[in-house]
Amino acid sequence: MKTILTGLRANSVFTIGNYLGALLPMVRLAKEHSGDYHVNLFVPDLHSLISEVDGGDLQANIMQSIKFYIAAGLPLNDNVHVYRQSRVPAHSELCWILNCVATMGEMNRMTQYKEKSEGKASVNVGIFDYPVLMAGDILLYSAEYIPVGEDQFQHIELARNLATRFNNRYGEVFTVPVSTAEQVKFMGVADGIRIRDLLNPEKKMSKSTKAENSKIMLDDTPEKAAKKIMSATTDSLGKIKFDMFNQPGVSNLLQIEALVSGVPLQDVVSTWAGETKYGDLKKKVASSVSGMLSEFQVRIEKSTEEQVYELLEKGEEYANRVANAKLLEVQKAVGLR
Ligand code: TYM
């Protein structure tokens, strides 16, 4: 059976960028395919250590993010596996082995590393190396489909390169994930998803941006979220068109509307073609987003700790079994066993 896999760092409450770019697509794929695919939605808690954790309480954030997975509608059947990365020690060992396959040149080219280290006097090695850990997260489970936002595409390509290089050097051990072009097709979207910062739409929406109004968090009240949308930066061109280059603010609103309402982007764009009033578009998006948040928040209240622990127990047993078997193949291939 093939595997679909993704993870979201639990450093803080998720933004709607995390939700629309990764969690919702993953849940949709799980609903569609969990009859005949394994679906692994895990908490990359070792990845959390590369940056600050909101409130300093990683355990609380981990619990909360699994409740978010459930509230997002993840089907909880036997092919769906939820686990914490640090409870599966094979991830760390494979990371080391892959470190010895990755090159400094390719790691230095990682855009996320450049962005996260920009302007900082001192940067931890984890920020440099986490794409290798991420490759291990994927390759241990022979995952072919990895629904992620566009900012992680370069890391998927790295995982493909490391798998191919390892296989060439040591024999066919890893399944190579499909290309990002194929990933996008599988996710059923036209392009990689990149939700923009509401105030500064040239940039992606990020939980680490300080300005409150730049991002919508999944625990924002619907009213607060609506206000943030109403104050989003647009432009002075006076036409509602999808053009990320010249009209990133307006295009971002159209993108959010499409993903929240589940209507193809092209259809949303044609509905608004010829319209000129940005206020009307904002009102529509504000109403869609606040509607989505109120439903989501009701479901969050319903998910319990017992439910989370039950899922983790089952998921971590499965994950260790699959990951240890793959790690043993790797250890044998490189001569450690
Ligand atoms: P992280 O935790 O930064 O983000 C989680 C997911 O949310 C997506 N995302 C966005 N998508 C669209 N628009 C945005 N503004 C936006 N912001 C975030 C990210 O692309 C991601 O899919 N290294 C990963 C976590 C990870 C992982 C893995 C993912 C660790 N191991 C294995 C897949 C497979 C990360 O830091 O994502």
Side-chain angles (χ1 to χ4, degrees), residues 5-9 15 17-18 21-22 42 44 47 130 134 137-138 146-152 155 193-196 204-205 207:
L5 174 148
T6 203
L8 295 94
R9 282 183 304 139
T15 66
N18 298 131
F42 76 106
H47 286 266
Y130 85 91
M134 176 166 165
D137 299 338
I138 295 167
I146 303 109
V148 286
E150 194 255 359
D151 61 314
Q152 297 294 321
H155 298 164
I193 301 171
R194 185 181 191 85
I195 301 299
R196 309 299 180 110
K204 76 162 186 185
M205 183 183 288
K207 45 192 160 200

Side-chain angles (χ1 to χ4, degrees), residues 13-234:
V13 171
F14 298 139
T15 66
I16 59 160
N18 298 131
Y19 181 70
L20 299 176
L23 187 51
L24 196 58
M26 180 60 162
V27 166
R28 288 207 179 117
L29 291 175
K31 284 181 177 158
E32 238 171 89
H33 296 292
S34 63
D36 47 0
Y37 285 61
H38 284 292
V39 174
N40 295 17
L41 179 50
F42 76 106
V43 181
D45 52 357
L46 293 172
H47 286 266
S48 283
L49 305 180
I50 66 170
S51 54
E52 258 176 57
V53 173
D54 260 19
D57 193 348
L58 183 55
Q59 285 303 311
N61 289 8
I62 290 171
M63 279 314 274
Q64 188 186 42
S65 63
I66 299 170
K67 286 186 178 176
F68 283 157
Y69 295 174
I70 300 171
L74 186 71
L76 305 180
N77 63 44
D78 283 348
N79 288 341
V80 175
H81 314 289
V82 177
Y83 51 91
R84 293 161 288 189
Q85 178 188 40
S86 70
R87 305 295 168 125
V88 187
H91 289 247
S92 307
E93 183 165 344
L94 183 57
C95 176
W96 176 256
I97 295 172
L98 293 176
N99 273 338
C100 302
V101 175
T103 67
M104 293 296 287
E106 67 192 336
M107 298 305 291
N108 266 317
R109 284 195 293 275
M110 294 293 123
T111 310
Q112 287 285 298
Y113 162 65
K114 289 189 212 159
E115 282 177 11
K116 285 184 197 292
S117 57
E118 199 183 341
K120 298 208 173 122
S122 163
V123 175
N124 72 61
V125 176
I127 289 185
F128 182 70
D129 197 37
Y130 85 91
V132 176
L133 179 60
M134 176 166 165
D137 299 338
I138 295 167
L139 301 180
L140 272 179
Y141 302 90
S142 310
E144 285 179 65
Y145 298 105
I146 303 109
V148 286
E150 194 255 359
D151 61 314
Q152 297 294 321
F153 278 12
Q154 202 183 16
H155 298 164
I156 306 285
E157 289 300 341
L158 177 76
R160 283 164 49 78
N161 291 338
L162 295 182
T164 308
R165 196 175 309 147
F166 185 98
N167 287 350
N168 289 341
R169 199 173 289 171
Y170 297 109
E172 288 293 317
V173 171
F174 291 127
T175 301
V176 181
V178 305
S179 67
T180 45
E182 291 292 318
Q183 302 284 351
V184 163
K185 260 195 226 157
F186 188 70
M187 283 167 77
V189 285
D191 238 323
I193 301 171
R194 185 181 191 85
I195 301 299
R196 309 299 180 110
D197 181 299
L198 294 176
L199 297 180
N200 194 353
E202 279 78 28
K203 292 187 356 195
K204 76 162 186 185
M205 183 183 288
S206 163
K207 45 192 160 200
S208 56
T209 307
K210 292 273 178 297
E212 269 259 336
N213 284 345
S214 69
K215 55 193 178 183
I216 294 177
M217 311 303 291
L218 288 186
D219 65 351
D220 278 352
T221 61
E223 298 72 33
K224 188 170 172 185
K227 272 197 196 136
K228 290 181 182 178
I229 301 268
M230 294 309 293
S231 65
T233 302
T234 48

